[in-house]
Amino acid sequence: MILRSLECRFLTIALCDAAEPWQLGSQDAATPMMQGIIDLHHDIFFFLILILVFVSRMLVRALWHFNEQTNPIPQRIVHGTTIEIIRTIFPSVILLFIAIPSFALLYSMDGVLVDPAITIKAIGHQWYRTYEYSDYNSSDEQSLTFDSYTIPEDDPELGQSRLLEVDNRVVVPAKTHLRMIVTPADVPHSWAVPSSGVKCDAVPGRSNLTSISVQREGVYYGQCSEICGTNHAFTPIVVEAVTLKDYADWVSNQLILQTN
Amino acid sequence: MAEKPTIKVETTPGDWRFPSANQTKRCFTCYIEYNKCIEAKGEGSDECTKYAKCYRSLCPGEWIERWKEQRANGTFAGPL
């Protein structure tokens, strides 16, 4: 299993868009947002390793040299202005170097800079999701709406991921700005797709907005991320990103199916 | 087979009055604006289309249904 995981990580060119056994890192980025999150993680890890090495060296060295056998008479230094200034300023500078990219990413994720092309409503239920595409409505009733249930444990076909696959996927166009409206109909849920860097809580009575722009075509898997009851583990999310033309075809086909 | 509808990929634009992640009030406001608009300009007025698009795109279908019911019963909370 570990071998397979390593193989997936290093030997294949297929991108990792679903959770897999023994996974340690993030899934591959499908949106600039997720790319930013991964880059920030790596940036912070640089400082983390630096601090780890430095602190470990200090600690080991102190234990090695200054014990009862090697140094029976302890030194009685209680303060030193220079070292105190250094050890206050230096960590603050490191924190600054972490904070600047962190806030830049946070606000760039939050800000909606361009008008989206599509609005999709993801409505959480116990325990399935309803998706509404209402941009193409001409009345309140006629709306492209469908439910997305998980494929039960004993039912998946060969190649489908256990408890990650759904019967109706959310189809979105790639390289297009999407507006996701996330809300539940009963208890709190969460709409989360790791590859797209989105984890948006669904709070009853409130509709939350999150913007994504999927950069490549593919199928992305996510799971409910807010404990929502007994079948919390059985409410996956599957996003299928297709070309804009295929998306338009899909929508018109769905509209025909719904009207018939 | 039914005529294949042509799809125009377009949605309601952003609104500077509601810049935050919480879009609840925006959906409600659009709903009110639409109903005030059709009251003033008459049903099927072109000027009201943008409000209709806004609330249909942003409000969950369930809310719209509930509000419709409440308005029929006279228990709707908004200024209508």
Side-chain angles (χ1 to χ4, degrees):
Chain A
M1 198 180 263
I2 301 171
L3 252 175
R4 203 206 141 290
S5 170
L6 287 173
E7 186 187 291
C8 177
R9 185 113 328 106
F10 299 113
L11 296 178
T12 54
I13 45 162
L15 291 152
C16 178
D17 294 330
E20 52 175 276
W22 292 92
Q23 180 167 351
L24 289 176
S26 304
Q27 291 172 31
D28 288 317
T31 60
M33 224 153 88
M34 190 57 199
Q35 193 59 58
I37 294 170
I38 292 173
D39 289 346
L40 179 74
H41 169 267
H42 293 350
D43 282 357
I44 293 176
F45 233 82
F46 169 75
F47 292 105
L48 197 146
I49 300 289
L50 215 69
I51 293 165
L52 182 82
V53 169
F54 179 69
V55 172
S56 310
R57 185 183 178 273
M58 296 275 281
L59 200 68
V60 171
R61 196 176 179 278
L63 289 171
W64 188 263
H65 288 289
F66 304 99
N67 56 50
E68 209 186 355
Q69 275 110 47
T70 46
N71 260 309
I73 305 155
Q75 294 223 20
R76 294 188 183 277
I77 301 170
V78 280
H79 70 265
T81 316
T82 319
I83 196 158
E84 275 167 20
I85 288 172
I86 290 171
R87 75 172 175 216
T88 310
I89 301 290
F90 198 64
S92 328
V93 172
I94 292 177
L95 283 182
L96 207 69
F97 275 120
I98 293 174
I100 291 168
S102 178
F103 279 114
L105 179 68
L106 186 68
Y107 291 120
S108 70
M109 282 163 80
D110 197 38
V112 186
L113 301 170
V114 280
D115 283 333
I118 291 154
T119 307
I120 300 168
K121 286 173 269 177
I123 298 159
H125 290 89
Q126 279 176 317
W127 290 276
Y128 61 96
R129 278 152 210 290
T130 306
Y131 294 99
E132 289 180 11
Y133 295 65
S134 310
D135 293 340
Y136 319 106
N137 285 14
S138 45
S139 73
D140 285 351
E141 285 75 28
Q142 168 233 18
S143 158
L144 172 43
T145 303
F146 58 85
D147 295 339
S148 175
Y149 283 89
T150 181
I151 308 263
E153 217 173 334
D154 46 7
D155 217 23
E157 285 164 29
L158 194 67
Q160 289 189 331
S161 299
R162 176 181 160 271
L163 300 182
L164 270 184
E165 200 63 63
V166 293
D167 54 357
N168 294 309
R169 294 166 167 176
V170 210
V171 177
V172 303
K175 298 190 179 72
T176 310
H177 291 276
L178 313 172
R179 177 198 281 139
M180 294 296 309
I181 295 283
V182 183
T183 187
D186 34 49
V187 299
H189 294 264
S190 181
W191 197 83
V193 183
S195 275
S196 67
V198 164
K199 179 171 280 179
C200 189
D201 274 6
V203 183
R206 168 176 166 145
S207 67
N208 271 336
L209 174 141
T210 178
S211 310
I212 49 174
S213 169
V214 183
Q215 292 301 300
R216 55 187 164 85
E217 286 122 52
V219 184
Y220 307 99
Y221 294 87
Q223 286 165 304
C224 185
S225 295
E226 176 72 50
I227 187 96
C228 60
T230 322
N231 288 348
H232 167 65
F234 311 105
T235 12
I237 298 140
V238 185
V239 177
E240 187 176 340
V242 297
T243 58
L244 195 60
K245 195 189 156 293
D246 288 347
Y247 169 76
D249 283 347
W250 177 81
V251 170
S252 51
N253 285 335
Q254 290 288 316
L255 286 175
I256 292 170
L257 281 174
Q258 296 232 324
T259 44
N260 285 352
Chain B
M1 197 175 138
E3 182 74 21
K4 214 172 174 178
T6 45
I7 296 299
K8 199 174 175 206
V9 180
E10 188 185 61
T11 190
T12 180
D15 191 333
W16 59 268
R17 292 175 296 171
F18 307 97
S20 57
N22 185 358
Q23 294 283 302
T24 321
K25 194 78 192 241
R26 181 172 178 204
C27 136
F28 189 69
T29 308
C30 281
Y31 187 75
I32 304 275
E33 280 173 339
Y34 172 71
N35 282 292
K36 283 196 167 158
C37 181
I38 55 166
E39 240 170 59
K41 306 228 164 77
E43 193 102 27
S45 168
D46 281 347
E47 288 164 64
C48 303
T49 324
K50 64 172 180 182
Y51 299 120
K53 273 199 173 305
C54 173
Y55 89 79
R56 277 175 197 144
S57 289
L58 294 170
C59 301
E62 207 180 316
W63 296 11
I64 298 171
E65 261 168 55
R66 202 185 304 151
W67 290 340
K68 205 173 171 184
E69 247 170 60
Q70 287 174 349
R71 285 174 63 215
N73 297 336
T75 53
F76 186 67
L80 277 179

